[in-house]
PDB file of all heavy atoms in Angstrom:
ATOM      1  N   ASN M 122      -4.727 -10.694  -9.020  1.00 93.00           N
ATOM      2  CA  ASN M 122      -3.841 -11.849  -9.090  1.00 93.00           C
ATOM      3  C   ASN M 122      -2.462 -11.362  -9.701  1.00 93.00           C
ATOM      4  O   ASN M 122      -1.448 -12.087  -9.317  1.00 93.00           O
ATOM      5  CB  ASN M 122      -4.504 -12.769 -10.273  1.00 93.00           C
ATOM      6  CG  ASN M 122      -5.759 -13.482  -9.580  1.00 93.00           C
ATOM      7  OD1 ASN M 122      -5.619 -13.885  -8.355  1.00 93.00           O
ATOM      8  ND2 ASN M 122      -6.704 -13.663 -10.206  1.00 93.00           N
ATOM      9  N   ASP M 126       0.754 -12.347  -7.487  1.00 92.00           N
ATOM     10  CA  ASP M 126       1.883 -13.215  -8.084  1.00 92.00           C
ATOM     11  C   ASP M 126       3.048 -12.567  -7.786  1.00 92.00           C
ATOM     12  O   ASP M 126       4.096 -13.223  -7.501  1.00 92.00           O
ATOM     13  CB  ASP M 126       1.604 -13.444  -9.528  1.00 92.00           C
ATOM     14  CG  ASP M 126       0.494 -14.464  -9.845  1.00 92.00           C
ATOM     15  OD1 ASP M 126       0.053 -15.258  -8.948  1.00 92.00           O
ATOM     16  OD2 ASP M 126       0.085 -14.463 -11.053  1.00 92.00           O
ATOM     17  N   THR M 129       4.023 -12.849  -4.051  1.00 88.00           N
ATOM     18  CA  THR M 129       4.152 -14.078  -3.542  1.00 88.00           C
ATOM     19  C   THR M 129       5.642 -14.734  -4.199  1.00 88.00           C
ATOM     20  O   THR M 129       6.165 -15.405  -3.475  1.00 88.00           O
ATOM     21  CB  THR M 129       2.886 -15.027  -3.930  1.00 88.00           C
ATOM     22  OG1 THR M 129       1.762 -14.247  -3.599  1.00 88.00           O
ATOM     23  CG2 THR M 129       3.073 -16.398  -3.276  1.00 88.00           C
ATOM     24  N   ASN M 146       1.960 -16.887   2.502  1.00 87.00           N
ATOM     25  CA  ASN M 146       0.690 -16.433   1.891  1.00 87.00           C
ATOM     26  C   ASN M 146       0.138 -15.337   2.908  1.00 87.00           C
ATOM     27  O   ASN M 146      -0.557 -14.284   2.364  1.00 87.00           O
ATOM     28  CB  ASN M 146      -0.241 -17.565   1.923  1.00 87.00           C
ATOM     29  CG  ASN M 146      -0.072 -18.490   0.723  1.00 87.00           C
ATOM     30  OD1 ASN M 146       0.550 -18.083  -0.385  1.00 87.00           O
ATOM     31  ND2 ASN M 146      -0.146 -19.778   0.870  1.00 87.00           N
ATOM     32  N   GLU M 154      -3.046  -5.296   1.071  1.00 86.00           N
ATOM     33  CA  GLU M 154      -3.751  -4.139   1.828  1.00 86.00           C
ATOM     34  C   GLU M 154      -3.196  -2.775   1.287  1.00 86.00           C
ATOM     35  O   GLU M 154      -3.937  -1.769   1.047  1.00 86.00           O
ATOM     36  CB  GLU M 154      -3.839  -4.252   3.210  1.00 86.00           C
ATOM     37  CG  GLU M 154      -4.160  -5.601   3.898  1.00 86.00           C
ATOM     38  CD  GLU M 154      -5.731  -5.706   4.014  1.00 86.00           C
ATOM     39  OE1 GLU M 154      -6.346  -4.632   3.741  1.00 86.00           O
ATOM     40  OE2 GLU M 154      -6.107  -6.755   4.434  1.00 86.00           O
ATOM     41  N   PHE M 200     -13.798  13.765   2.633  1.00 89.00           N
ATOM     42  CA  PHE M 200     -14.838  12.966   3.349  1.00 89.00           C
ATOM     43  C   PHE M 200     -15.420  13.803   4.432  1.00 89.00           C
ATOM     44  O   PHE M 200     -16.750  13.509   4.651  1.00 89.00           O
ATOM     45  CB  PHE M 200     -14.051  11.725   4.082  1.00 89.00           C
ATOM     46  CG  PHE M 200     -14.892  10.775   4.877  1.00 89.00           C
ATOM     47  CD1 PHE M 200     -15.906  10.057   4.294  1.00 89.00           C
ATOM     48  CD2 PHE M 200     -14.675  10.774   6.178  1.00 89.00           C
ATOM     49  CE1 PHE M 200     -16.726   9.256   4.989  1.00 89.00           C
ATOM     50  CE2 PHE M 200     -15.523   9.917   6.882  1.00 89.00           C
ATOM     51  CZ  PHE M 200     -16.500   9.139   6.378  1.00 89.00           C
ATOM     52  N   ARG M 206     -14.876  23.158   9.111  1.00 92.00           N
ATOM     53  CA  ARG M 206     -13.510  23.244   9.929  1.00 92.00           C
ATOM     54  C   ARG M 206     -12.639  22.249   9.413  1.00 92.00           C
ATOM     55  O   ARG M 206     -11.385  22.139   9.609  1.00 92.00           O
ATOM     56  CB  ARG M 206     -13.884  22.811  11.338  1.00 92.00           C
ATOM     57  CG  ARG M 206     -14.777  23.967  11.940  1.00 92.00           C
ATOM     58  CD  ARG M 206     -14.960  23.483  13.642  1.00 92.00           C
ATOM     59  NE  ARG M 206     -15.766  22.148  13.487  1.00 92.00           N
ATOM     60  CZ  ARG M 206     -15.610  21.194  14.505  1.00 92.00           C
ATOM     61  NH1 ARG M 206     -15.087  21.516  15.605  1.00 92.00           N
ATOM     62  NH2 ARG M 206     -16.173  20.035  14.361  1.00 92.00           N
ATOM     63  N   ARG M 209      -9.302  23.095   7.961  1.00 91.00           N
ATOM     64  CA  ARG M 209      -8.051  23.604   8.885  1.00 91.00           C
ATOM     65  C   ARG M 209      -7.320  22.310   9.346  1.00 91.00           C
ATOM     66  O   ARG M 209      -6.327  22.468  10.070  1.00 91.00           O
ATOM     67  CB  ARG M 209      -8.705  24.131  10.224  1.00 91.00           C
ATOM     68  CG  ARG M 209      -9.159  25.577   9.937  1.00 91.00           C
ATOM     69  CD  ARG M 209     -10.012  26.036  11.157  1.00 91.00           C
ATOM     70  NE  ARG M 209      -9.725  25.573  12.400  1.00 91.00           N
ATOM     71  CZ  ARG M 209     -10.541  25.640  13.432  1.00 91.00           C
ATOM     72  NH1 ARG M 209     -11.744  26.008  13.260  1.00 91.00           N
ATOM     73  NH2 ARG M 209     -10.159  25.111  14.656  1.00 91.00           N
ATOM     74  N   SER M 211      -4.730  19.389   9.749  1.00 93.00           N
ATOM     75  CA  SER M 211      -3.381  19.287   9.323  1.00 93.00           C
ATOM     76  C   SER M 211      -3.254  17.800   8.720  1.00 93.00           C
ATOM     77  O   SER M 211      -3.963  17.091   9.047  1.00 93.00           O
ATOM     78  CB  SER M 211      -2.374  19.377  10.363  1.00 93.00           C
ATOM     79  OG  SER M 211      -2.419  18.241  11.252  1.00 93.00           O
ATOM     80  N   GLU M 217      -2.907  10.456  11.146  1.00 91.00           N
ATOM     81  CA  GLU M 217      -3.018   9.762  12.326  1.00 91.00           C
ATOM     82  C   GLU M 217      -4.368   9.125  12.565  1.00 91.00           C
ATOM     83  O   GLU M 217      -4.536   8.005  12.933  1.00 91.00           O
ATOM     84  CB  GLU M 217      -2.698  10.709  13.556  1.00 91.00           C
ATOM     85  CG  GLU M 217      -1.468  10.600  14.221  1.00 91.00           C
ATOM     86  CD  GLU M 217      -1.254  11.587  15.376  1.00 91.00           C
ATOM     87  OE1 GLU M 217      -1.205  12.864  15.153  1.00 91.00           O
ATOM     88  OE2 GLU M 217      -1.182  11.172  16.504  1.00 91.00           O
ATOM     89  N   GLN M 221      -5.732   4.755  12.440  1.00 85.00           N
ATOM     90  CA  GLN M 221      -6.545   4.029  13.651  1.00 85.00           C
ATOM     91  C   GLN M 221      -7.497   2.990  13.022  1.00 85.00           C
ATOM     92  O   GLN M 221      -8.174   3.174  12.148  1.00 85.00           O
ATOM     93  CB  GLN M 221      -7.286   5.052  14.466  1.00 85.00           C
ATOM     94  CG  GLN M 221      -6.393   5.830  15.321  1.00 85.00           C
ATOM     95  CD  GLN M 221      -7.099   6.962  15.994  1.00 85.00           C
ATOM     96  OE1 GLN M 221      -8.149   6.676  16.616  1.00 85.00           O
ATOM     97  NE2 GLN M 221      -6.703   8.205  15.787  1.00 85.00           N
ATOM     98  N   ARG M 222      -7.479   1.871  13.713  1.00 82.00           N
ATOM     99  CA  ARG M 222      -8.373   0.722  13.329  1.00 82.00           C
ATOM    100  C   ARG M 222      -9.839   1.241  13.051  1.00 82.00           C
ATOM    101  O   ARG M 222     -10.458   1.956  13.913  1.00 82.00           O
ATOM    102  CB  ARG M 222      -8.454  -0.291  14.308  1.00 82.00           C
ATOM    103  CG  ARG M 222      -9.177  -1.498  14.085  1.00 82.00           C
ATOM    104  CD  ARG M 222      -9.120  -2.279  15.387  1.00 82.00           C
ATOM    105  NE  ARG M 222     -10.080  -3.521  15.112  1.00 82.00           N
ATOM    106  CZ  ARG M 222      -9.551  -4.675  14.700  1.00 82.00           C
ATOM    107  NH1 ARG M 222      -8.346  -4.874  14.468  1.00 82.00           N
ATOM    108  NH2 ARG M 222     -10.358  -5.750  14.534  1.00 82.00           N
ATOM    109  N   ALA M 232     -18.259  -1.439   6.879  1.00 66.00           N
ATOM    110  CA  ALA M 232     -17.016  -1.236   7.736  1.00 66.00           C
ATOM    111  C   ALA M 232     -15.780  -1.540   7.046  1.00 66.00           C
ATOM    112  O   ALA M 232     -15.575  -2.526   6.350  1.00 66.00           O
ATOM    113  CB  ALA M 232     -17.104  -2.233   8.955  1.00 66.00           C
ATOM    114  N   ARG M 233     -14.744  -0.583   7.294  1.00 70.00           N
ATOM    115  CA  ARG M 233     -13.522  -0.757   6.545  1.00 70.00           C
ATOM    116  C   ARG M 233     -12.398  -0.377   7.491  1.00 70.00           C
ATOM    117  O   ARG M 233     -12.589  -0.483   8.761  1.00 70.00           O
ATOM    118  CB  ARG M 233     -13.504   0.095   5.203  1.00 70.00           C
ATOM    119  CG  ARG M 233     -14.546  -0.169   4.341  1.00 70.00           C
ATOM    120  CD  ARG M 233     -14.456  -1.399   3.586  1.00 70.00           C
ATOM    121  NE  ARG M 233     -13.108  -1.585   2.936  1.00 70.00           N
ATOM    122  CZ  ARG M 233     -12.673  -0.944   1.786  1.00 70.00           C
ATOM    123  NH1 ARG M 233     -13.641  -0.208   1.092  1.00 70.00           N
ATOM    124  NH2 ARG M 233     -11.546  -1.154   1.307  1.00 70.00           N
ATOM    125  N   PHE M 294       3.969 -18.604  12.899  1.00 54.00           N
ATOM    126  CA  PHE M 294       2.563 -18.536  12.326  1.00 54.00           C
ATOM    127  C   PHE M 294       1.666 -18.044  13.359  1.00 54.00           C
ATOM    128  O   PHE M 294       0.842 -17.186  12.960  1.00 54.00           O
ATOM    129  CB  PHE M 294       2.090 -19.870  11.798  1.00 54.00           C
ATOM    130  CG  PHE M 294       0.902 -19.670  10.927  1.00 54.00           C
ATOM    131  CD1 PHE M 294       1.111 -19.075   9.614  1.00 54.00           C
ATOM    132  CD2 PHE M 294      -0.303 -19.872  11.330  1.00 54.00           C
ATOM    133  CE1 PHE M 294       0.042 -18.874   8.814  1.00 54.00           C
ATOM    134  CE2 PHE M 294      -1.424 -19.618  10.430  1.00 54.00           C
ATOM    135  CZ  PHE M 294      -1.231 -19.208   9.231  1.00 54.00           C
ATOM    136  N   VAL M 298      -0.600 -14.663  12.569  1.00 49.00           N
ATOM    137  CA  VAL M 298      -2.024 -14.743  12.444  1.00 49.00           C
ATOM    138  C   VAL M 298      -2.670 -13.698  13.455  1.00 49.00           C
ATOM    139  O   VAL M 298      -3.667 -13.037  13.151  1.00 49.00           O
ATOM    140  CB  VAL M 298      -2.576 -16.161  12.670  1.00 49.00           C
ATOM    141  CG1 VAL M 298      -4.088 -16.186  13.047  1.00 49.00           C
ATOM    142  CG2 VAL M 298      -2.203 -16.858  11.466  1.00 49.00           C
ATOM    143  N   SER M 300      -1.414 -11.106  14.512  1.00 48.00           N
ATOM    144  CA  SER M 300      -0.923  -9.649  14.488  1.00 48.00           C
ATOM    145  C   SER M 300      -1.901  -8.856  13.652  1.00 48.00           C
ATOM    146  O   SER M 300      -2.747  -9.387  12.916  1.00 48.00           O
ATOM    147  CB  SER M 300       0.429  -9.430  13.912  1.00 48.00           C
ATOM    148  OG  SER M 300       0.359  -9.819  12.445  1.00 48.00           O
TER     149      SER M 300
ATOM    150  N   ARG N  12      -7.428 -17.096  -4.058  1.00 96.00           N
ATOM    151  CA  ARG N  12      -7.431 -15.851  -3.387  1.00 96.00           C
ATOM    152  C   ARG N  12      -8.668 -15.176  -3.116  1.00 96.00           C
ATOM    153  O   ARG N  12      -9.421 -15.003  -3.979  1.00 96.00           O
ATOM    154  CB  ARG N  12      -6.550 -14.833  -4.284  1.00 96.00           C
ATOM    155  CG  ARG N  12      -5.126 -15.059  -4.362  1.00 96.00           C
ATOM    156  CD  ARG N  12      -4.256 -14.435  -5.348  1.00 96.00           C
ATOM    157  NE  ARG N  12      -2.925 -14.868  -5.308  1.00 96.00           N
ATOM    158  CZ  ARG N  12      -2.189 -14.885  -6.372  1.00 96.00           C
ATOM    159  NH1 ARG N  12      -2.598 -14.697  -7.576  1.00 96.00           N
ATOM    160  NH2 ARG N  12      -0.865 -15.370  -6.299  1.00 96.00           N
ATOM    161  N   LYS N  44      -5.905 -19.973  -0.408  1.00 94.00           N
ATOM    162  CA  LYS N  44      -4.676 -19.867   0.326  1.00 94.00           C
ATOM    163  C   LYS N  44      -4.371 -18.410   0.847  1.00 94.00           C
ATOM    164  O   LYS N  44      -3.702 -18.176   1.655  1.00 94.00           O
ATOM    165  CB  LYS N  44      -3.473 -20.351  -0.486  1.00 94.00           C
ATOM    166  CG  LYS N  44      -3.484 -21.810  -0.748  1.00 94.00           C
ATOM    167  CD  LYS N  44      -2.338 -22.281  -1.565  1.00 94.00           C
ATOM    168  CE  LYS N  44      -2.345 -23.761  -1.862  1.00 94.00           C
ATOM    169  NZ  LYS N  44      -1.360 -24.164  -2.811  1.00 94.00           N
ATOM    170  N   GLN N  45      -4.984 -17.419   0.102  1.00 94.00           N
ATOM    171  CA  GLN N  45      -4.669 -16.041   0.462  1.00 94.00           C
ATOM    172  C   GLN N  45      -5.930 -15.285   0.803  1.00 94.00           C
ATOM    173  O   GLN N  45      -6.937 -15.430   0.063  1.00 94.00           O
ATOM    174  CB  GLN N  45      -3.882 -15.439  -0.648  1.00 94.00           C
ATOM    175  CG  GLN N  45      -2.413 -16.129  -0.732  1.00 94.00           C
ATOM    176  CD  GLN N  45      -1.597 -15.445  -1.861  1.00 94.00           C
ATOM    177  OE1 GLN N  45      -1.993 -14.967  -2.854  1.00 94.00           O
ATOM    178  NE2 GLN N  45      -0.189 -15.516  -1.656  1.00 94.00           N
ATOM    179  N   SER N  48      -8.791  -8.387   4.094  1.00 91.00           N
ATOM    180  CA  SER N  48     -10.003  -7.767   4.510  1.00 91.00           C
ATOM    181  C   SER N  48     -10.980  -7.197   3.552  1.00 91.00           C
ATOM    182  O   SER N  48     -12.047  -7.327   3.707  1.00 91.00           O
ATOM    183  CB  SER N  48      -9.518  -6.724   5.692  1.00 91.00           C
ATOM    184  OG  SER N  48      -8.885  -5.688   5.004  1.00 91.00           O
ATOM    185  N   ASN N  52     -14.796  -7.519   3.882  1.00 92.00           N
ATOM    186  CA  ASN N  52     -15.603  -6.420   4.251  1.00 92.00           C
ATOM    187  C   ASN N  52     -16.754  -6.291   3.243  1.00 92.00           C
ATOM    188  O   ASN N  52     -17.945  -5.914   3.750  1.00 92.00           O
ATOM    189  CB  ASN N  52     -14.761  -5.079   4.141  1.00 92.00           C
ATOM    190  CG  ASN N  52     -13.811  -4.882   5.210  1.00 92.00           C
ATOM    191  OD1 ASN N  52     -14.139  -5.269   6.409  1.00 92.00           O
ATOM    192  ND2 ASN N  52     -12.689  -4.349   4.968  1.00 92.00           N
ATOM    193  N   ARG N  57     -20.606  -6.647   4.770  1.00 92.00           N
ATOM    194  CA  ARG N  57     -21.857  -5.920   4.219  1.00 92.00           C
ATOM    195  C   ARG N  57     -23.077  -6.661   4.553  1.00 92.00           C
ATOM    196  O   ARG N  57     -24.130  -6.022   4.853  1.00 92.00           O
ATOM    197  CB  ARG N  57     -21.816  -5.782   2.710  1.00 92.00           C
ATOM    198  CG  ARG N  57     -22.905  -4.992   2.036  1.00 92.00           C
ATOM    199  CD  ARG N  57     -22.378  -4.793   0.541  1.00 92.00           C
ATOM    200  NE  ARG N  57     -23.651  -4.372  -0.083  1.00 92.00           N
ATOM    201  CZ  ARG N  57     -23.728  -4.556  -1.470  1.00 92.00           C
ATOM    202  NH1 ARG N  57     -22.678  -4.948  -2.214  1.00 92.00           N
ATOM    203  NH2 ARG N  57     -24.792  -3.987  -2.050  1.00 92.00           N
ATOM    204  N   GLU N  78      -5.964 -20.860   9.286  1.00 89.00           N
ATOM    205  CA  GLU N  78      -5.763 -19.837  10.356  1.00 89.00           C
ATOM    206  C   GLU N  78      -5.868 -18.452  10.003  1.00 89.00           C
ATOM    207  O   GLU N  78      -6.419 -17.596  10.598  1.00 89.00           O
ATOM    208  CB  GLU N  78      -4.601 -20.105  11.048  1.00 89.00           C
ATOM    209  CG  GLU N  78      -4.514 -21.568  11.853  1.00 89.00           C
ATOM    210  CD  GLU N  78      -5.552 -21.591  12.973  1.00 89.00           C
ATOM    211  OE1 GLU N  78      -5.628 -20.595  13.776  1.00 89.00           O
ATOM    212  OE2 GLU N  78      -6.468 -22.503  12.927  1.00 89.00           O
ATOM    213  N   THR N  79      -5.191 -18.113   8.822  1.00 89.00           N
ATOM    214  CA  THR N  79      -5.080 -16.707   8.400  1.00 89.00           C
ATOM    215  C   THR N  79      -6.505 -16.265   7.986  1.00 89.00           C
ATOM    216  O   THR N  79      -6.947 -15.256   8.429  1.00 89.00           O
ATOM    217  CB  THR N  79      -4.338 -16.667   7.072  1.00 89.00           C
ATOM    218  OG1 THR N  79      -3.078 -17.298   7.411  1.00 89.00           O
ATOM    219  CG2 THR N  79      -4.047 -15.267   6.706  1.00 89.00           C
ATOM    220  N   TYR N  82      -8.564 -15.682  11.135  1.00 90.00           N
ATOM    221  CA  TYR N  82      -8.288 -14.351  11.727  1.00 90.00           C
ATOM    222  C   TYR N  82      -8.826 -13.105  10.943  1.00 90.00           C
ATOM    223  O   TYR N  82      -9.349 -12.176  11.544  1.00 90.00           O
ATOM    224  CB  TYR N  82      -6.748 -14.362  11.771  1.00 90.00           C
ATOM    225  CG  TYR N  82      -6.231 -12.900  12.381  1.00 90.00           C
ATOM    226  CD1 TYR N  82      -6.385 -12.772  13.700  1.00 90.00           C
ATOM    227  CD2 TYR N  82      -5.796 -11.905  11.589  1.00 90.00           C
ATOM    228  CE1 TYR N  82      -6.152 -11.483  14.312  1.00 90.00           C
ATOM    229  CE2 TYR N  82      -5.392 -10.738  12.080  1.00 90.00           C
ATOM    230  CZ  TYR N  82      -5.674 -10.429  13.471  1.00 90.00           C
ATOM    231  OH  TYR N  82      -5.263  -9.289  13.993  1.00 90.00           O
ATOM    232  N   GLN N  86     -11.692 -10.456  12.388  1.00 89.00           N
ATOM    233  CA  GLN N  86     -11.353  -9.037  12.477  1.00 89.00           C
ATOM    234  C   GLN N  86     -12.521  -8.310  11.808  1.00 89.00           C
ATOM    235  O   GLN N  86     -13.064  -7.236  12.346  1.00 89.00           O
ATOM    236  CB  GLN N  86     -10.014  -8.645  11.993  1.00 89.00           C
ATOM    237  CG  GLN N  86      -8.876  -9.261  12.694  1.00 89.00           C
ATOM    238  CD  GLN N  86      -8.813  -8.776  14.186  1.00 89.00           C
ATOM    239  OE1 GLN N  86      -8.847  -7.644  14.430  1.00 89.00           O
ATOM    240  NE2 GLN N  86      -8.837  -9.707  15.169  1.00 89.00           N
ATOM    241  N   ASN N  90     -15.006  -5.776  13.552  1.00 84.00           N
ATOM    242  CA  ASN N  90     -15.027  -4.362  12.990  1.00 84.00           C
ATOM    243  C   ASN N  90     -16.436  -3.961  12.565  1.00 84.00           C
ATOM    244  O   ASN N  90     -16.834  -2.885  12.758  1.00 84.00           O
ATOM    245  CB  ASN N  90     -14.050  -4.185  11.880  1.00 84.00           C
ATOM    246  CG  ASN N  90     -13.578  -2.818  11.625  1.00 84.00           C
ATOM    247  OD1 ASN N  90     -13.466  -2.082  12.585  1.00 84.00           O
ATOM    248  ND2 ASN N  90     -13.388  -2.375  10.323  1.00 84.00           N
ATOM    249  N   SER N  96     -22.951   3.271   9.989  1.00 59.00           N
ATOM    250  CA  SER N  96     -22.864   3.815   8.645  1.00 59.00           C
ATOM    251  C   SER N  96     -23.001   5.267   8.544  1.00 59.00           C
ATOM    252  O   SER N  96     -22.488   5.984   7.670  1.00 59.00           O
ATOM    253  CB  SER N  96     -24.005   3.136   7.717  1.00 59.00           C
ATOM    254  OG  SER N  96     -25.150   3.429   8.258  1.00 59.00           O
ATOM    255  N   HIS N 100     -19.653  13.368  11.207  1.00 81.00           N
ATOM    256  CA  HIS N 100     -18.498  14.027  10.669  1.00 81.00           C
ATOM    257  C   HIS N 100     -17.887  15.034  11.631  1.00 81.00           C
ATOM    258  O   HIS N 100     -16.897  15.387  11.744  1.00 81.00           O
ATOM    259  CB  HIS N 100     -18.817  14.652   9.328  1.00 81.00           C
ATOM    260  CG  HIS N 100     -18.860  13.533   8.190  1.00 81.00           C
ATOM    261  ND1 HIS N 100     -18.968  13.997   6.861  1.00 81.00           N
ATOM    262  CD2 HIS N 100     -18.821  12.205   8.285  1.00 81.00           C
ATOM    263  CE1 HIS N 100     -19.053  12.799   6.083  1.00 81.00           C
ATOM    264  NE2 HIS N 100     -18.926  11.768   7.036  1.00 81.00           N
ATOM    265  N   LYS N 101     -18.940  15.757  12.349  1.00 86.00           N
ATOM    266  CA  LYS N 101     -18.597  16.835  13.231  1.00 86.00           C
ATOM    267  C   LYS N 101     -17.769  16.141  14.411  1.00 86.00           C
ATOM    268  O   LYS N 101     -16.727  16.821  14.689  1.00 86.00           O
ATOM    269  CB  LYS N 101     -19.853  17.444  13.743  1.00 86.00           C
ATOM    270  CG  LYS N 101     -19.502  18.578  14.764  1.00 86.00           C
ATOM    271  CD  LYS N 101     -20.900  18.958  15.348  1.00 86.00           C
ATOM    272  CE  LYS N 101     -20.485  20.126  16.450  1.00 86.00           C
ATOM    273  NZ  LYS N 101     -19.746  19.717  17.525  1.00 86.00           N
ATOM    274  N   ASP N 105     -13.973  17.101  15.410  1.00 90.00           N
ATOM    275  CA  ASP N 105     -13.625  17.395  16.698  1.00 90.00           C
ATOM    276  C   ASP N 105     -12.412  16.638  17.203  1.00 90.00           C
ATOM    277  O   ASP N 105     -11.390  17.052  17.687  1.00 90.00           O
ATOM    278  CB  ASP N 105     -14.757  17.108  17.684  1.00 90.00           C
ATOM    279  CG  ASP N 105     -15.771  18.187  17.568  1.00 90.00           C
ATOM    280  OD1 ASP N 105     -15.589  19.266  16.982  1.00 90.00           O
ATOM    281  OD2 ASP N 105     -16.971  17.987  18.010  1.00 90.00           O
ATOM    282  N   ARG N 110      -6.522  16.350  18.438  1.00 85.00           N
ATOM    283  CA  ARG N 110      -5.265  15.538  18.270  1.00 85.00           C
ATOM    284  C   ARG N 110      -4.279  16.618  17.703  1.00 85.00           C
ATOM    285  O   ARG N 110      -3.075  16.711  18.134  1.00 85.00           O
ATOM    286  CB  ARG N 110      -5.422  14.353  17.293  1.00 85.00           C
ATOM    287  CG  ARG N 110      -4.207  13.590  17.188  1.00 85.00           C
ATOM    288  CD  ARG N 110      -4.444  12.465  16.286  1.00 85.00           C
ATOM    289  NE  ARG N 110      -5.675  11.571  16.660  1.00 85.00           N
ATOM    290  CZ  ARG N 110      -5.414  10.542  17.459  1.00 85.00           C
ATOM    291  NH1 ARG N 110      -4.298  10.263  17.903  1.00 85.00           N
ATOM    292  NH2 ARG N 110      -6.510   9.939  17.813  1.00 85.00           N
ATOM    293  N   GLN N 111      -4.812  17.403  16.823  1.00 86.00           N
ATOM    294  CA  GLN N 111      -3.878  18.496  16.176  1.00 86.00           C
ATOM    295  C   GLN N 111      -3.366  19.428  17.326  1.00 86.00           C
ATOM    296  O   GLN N 111      -2.121  19.838  17.223  1.00 86.00           O
ATOM    297  CB  GLN N 111      -4.658  19.155  15.102  1.00 86.00           C
ATOM    298  CG  GLN N 111      -3.914  19.913  14.073  1.00 86.00           C
ATOM    299  CD  GLN N 111      -4.894  20.312  13.060  1.00 86.00           C
ATOM    300  OE1 GLN N 111      -5.567  19.497  12.427  1.00 86.00           O
ATOM    301  NE2 GLN N 111      -4.758  21.564  12.533  1.00 86.00           N
ATOM    302  N   ASP N 114      -0.764  17.869  19.304  1.00 78.00           N
ATOM    303  CA  ASP N 114       0.510  17.738  18.573  1.00 78.00           C
ATOM    304  C   ASP N 114       1.185  19.160  18.533  1.00 78.00           C
ATOM    305  O   ASP N 114       2.457  19.161  18.603  1.00 78.00           O
ATOM    306  CB  ASP N 114       0.315  17.238  17.113  1.00 78.00           C
ATOM    307  CG  ASP N 114      -0.157  15.812  17.064  1.00 78.00           C
ATOM    308  OD1 ASP N 114       0.086  15.162  18.155  1.00 78.00           O
ATOM    309  OD2 ASP N 114      -0.704  15.309  15.988  1.00 78.00           O
TER     310      ASP N 114
END
Side-chain angles (χ1 to χ4, degrees):
Chain M
N122 283 325
D126 285 345
T129 310
N146 285 330
E154 306 274 358
F200 176 68
R206 297 174 303 157
R209 286 167 32 206
S211 70
E217 255 183 293
Q221 288 170 56
R222 181 192 179 88
R233 303 290 306 282
F294 196 75
V298 168
S300 71
Chain N
R12 292 165 178 145
K44 294 179 177 176
Q45 293 179 326
S48 64
N52 281 327
R57 185 171 163 200
E78 290 299 310
T79 313
Y82 176 73
Q86 295 298 304
N90 200 37
S96 59
H100 289 186
K101 182 183 173 302
D105 285 342
R110 187 178 301 272
Q111 195 168 313
D114 289 346

